[in-house]
Amino acid sequence: MSAVRALRVPGRHGYAAEFSPYLPGRLACAAAQNYGIAGCGTLLVLDQNESGLQVFRSFDWNDGLFDVTWSENNEHVLVTCSGDGSLQLWDTAKPTGPLQVYKEHTQEVYSVDWSQTRGEQLVVSGSWDQTVKVWDPTVGSSLCTFTGHESVIYSTIWSPHIPGCFASASGDQTLRVWDVKTAGVRIVIPAHQTEILSCDWCKYNENLVVTGAVDCSLRGWDLRNVRQPVFELLGHTYAIRRVKFSPFHATVLASCSYDFTVRFWNFSKPDPLLETVEHHTEFTCGLDLSLQSPTEVADCSWDETIKIYDPVCLTVPG
């Protein structure tokens, strides 16, 4: 593996890392004090240079920050979500505080995602209050609230293909696919027999969604036929915290886990595990693959470090 660019942020435990869709090498990290149990949160915006990672902007919030997403129409704007049930809209060009706070959820908000299709600019949030909300960032209140999950919602992700369509993963052991236009659920998949902590949508196949769960497994779901998974990936030894499909390779994905590792997979191969990266000493919660560089990966952990690196399996052809 090539040189790791790393930054230690004392007293901040990383929950999410997201590369900018605009600026090569720019990374956002959502973090919390005291493992998110109590204390405040920090949004870090980082840039890379020859010596490693440096902080470009740092914003504090009065509760832990659990997820972050970049605007798809303004390179300076990000949205975070926090333990107090609110979402925050930040502008790196105005380093004072949030431009807007959206407070409707009644418990922790664990997931936030900005829509991927060009036809709309919407944000989806998932909360421990068992609801999903969809927001227009230019409006102070949510456009709609989606109910049906019977436990905590851990993950909400827009389809990169179908406008107004998103997936959610929950402690109720289901993956659900929703449609903003009908304000209802389209598909309910009993995807695992344990809590599902993460889901992601394949960038190359509008019918393929992956789930990662407390049972240590990743499962791929073809939304046209959900009776059984189209693949299952085993190897993690504790709960899978986050999963991301590659933006560059149709059958490659990455996952991070409470087993401290990040693993890279090619689900089309007989031996799908490509590589295991073991460079954290605590739960690894945040993970992203660069949209600009086919080899670049970022992660963050409760060990107070944020790392950007190029795993061998993404730098070697085949």
Side-chain angles (χ1 to χ4, degrees):
M1 195 162 68
S2 66
V4 176
R5 286 80 78 199
L7 181 71
R8 178 172 289 280
V9 189
R12 292 294 182 274
H13 302 110
Y15 267 89
E18 293 285 324
F19 280 108
S20 165
Y22 291 98
L23 300 170
R26 179 160 287 182
L27 182 74
C29 178
Q33 279 184 309
N34 306 307
Y35 309 98
I37 297 164
C40 71
T42 302
L43 168 62
L44 296 153
V45 180
L46 309 175
D47 284 326
Q48 298 181 60
N49 58 21
E50 297 72 35
S51 59
L53 292 177
Q54 62 182 27
V55 177
F56 169 69
R57 287 279 185 267
S58 176
F59 299 100
D60 287 327
W61 185 246
N62 54 19
D63 210 318
L65 296 180
F66 296 140
D67 201 10
V68 60
T69 186
W70 288 92
S71 164
E72 292 288 336
N73 67 352
N74 183 329
E75 68 184 42
H76 303 292
V77 170
L78 311 95
V79 175
T80 52
C81 60
S82 75
D84 61 9
S86 69
L87 284 68
Q88 305 80 28
L89 182 81
W90 309 90
D91 186 336
T92 60
K94 302 184 178 70
T96 49
L99 299 184
Q100 180 109 29
V101 178
Y102 311 91
K103 180 80 171 78
E104 288 185 25
H105 285 296
T106 57
Q107 293 184 46
E108 290 91 333
V109 186
Y110 231 55
S111 177
V112 67
D113 191 40
W114 196 294
S115 56
Q116 299 292 303
T117 55
R118 288 287 173 251
E120 62 201 4
Q121 297 295 331
L122 299 173
V123 171
V124 64
S125 60
S127 169
W128 288 16
D129 66 12
Q130 304 184 15
T131 71
V132 178
K133 288 179 181 283
V134 169
W135 312 78
D136 176 341
T138 63
V139 178
S141 57
S142 63
L143 301 181
C144 42
T145 301
F146 296 82
T147 60
H149 275 299
E150 296 168 13
S151 183
V152 170
I153 296 165
Y154 289 110
S155 181
T156 48
I157 186 90
W158 288 104
S159 166
H161 311 279
I162 307 160
C165 180
F166 64 88
S168 60
S170 167
D172 68 9
Q173 308 177 6
T174 68
L175 170 72
R176 296 179 190 230
V177 177
W178 311 78
D179 188 342
V180 170
K181 291 180 284 295
T182 62
V185 68
R186 281 175 50 187
I187 308 171
V188 179
I189 305 170
H192 298 260
Q193 292 181 303
T194 56
E195 291 197 297
I196 308 169
L197 303 187
S198 186
C199 61
D200 196 31
W201 218 293
C202 181
K203 314 294 188 284
Y204 293 88
N205 181 345
E206 68 175 38
N207 295 303
L208 183 59
V209 177
V210 65
T211 51
V214 172
D215 62 12
C216 310
S217 77
L218 295 156
R219 291 179 180 171
W221 301 95
D222 183 329
L223 299 180
R224 297 164 299 187
N225 180 5
V226 299
R227 284 195 296 275
Q228 62 208 26
V230 290
F231 65 79
E232 183 176 49
L233 304 173
L234 302 173
H236 280 296
T237 56
Y238 283 94
I240 293 166
R241 181 60 178 79
R242 205 176 291 269
V243 58
K244 291 280 180 82
F245 274 107
S246 167
F248 290 95
H249 308 283
T251 58
V252 170
L253 51 86
S255 55
C256 65
S257 166
Y258 291 161
D259 66 13
F260 308 173
T261 71
V262 178
R263 292 173 198 243
F264 296 87
W265 315 81
N266 184 335
F267 62 81
S268 70
K269 298 201 166 189
D271 188 6
L273 181 59
L274 301 176
E275 187 173 347
T276 302
V277 175
E278 303 181 72
H279 62 194
H280 285 294
T281 57
E282 253 294 355
F283 289 177
T284 306
C285 293
L287 176 66
D288 199 22
L289 288 80
S290 168
L291 296 165
Q292 270 101 6
S293 163
T295 63
E296 198 166 73
V297 177
D299 62 37
C300 64
S301 165
W302 284 9
D303 64 12
E304 306 179 350
T305 66
I306 304 161
K307 298 188 177 187
I308 297 180
Y309 54 100
D310 300 84
V312 173
C313 67
L314 298 186
T315 57
V316 177

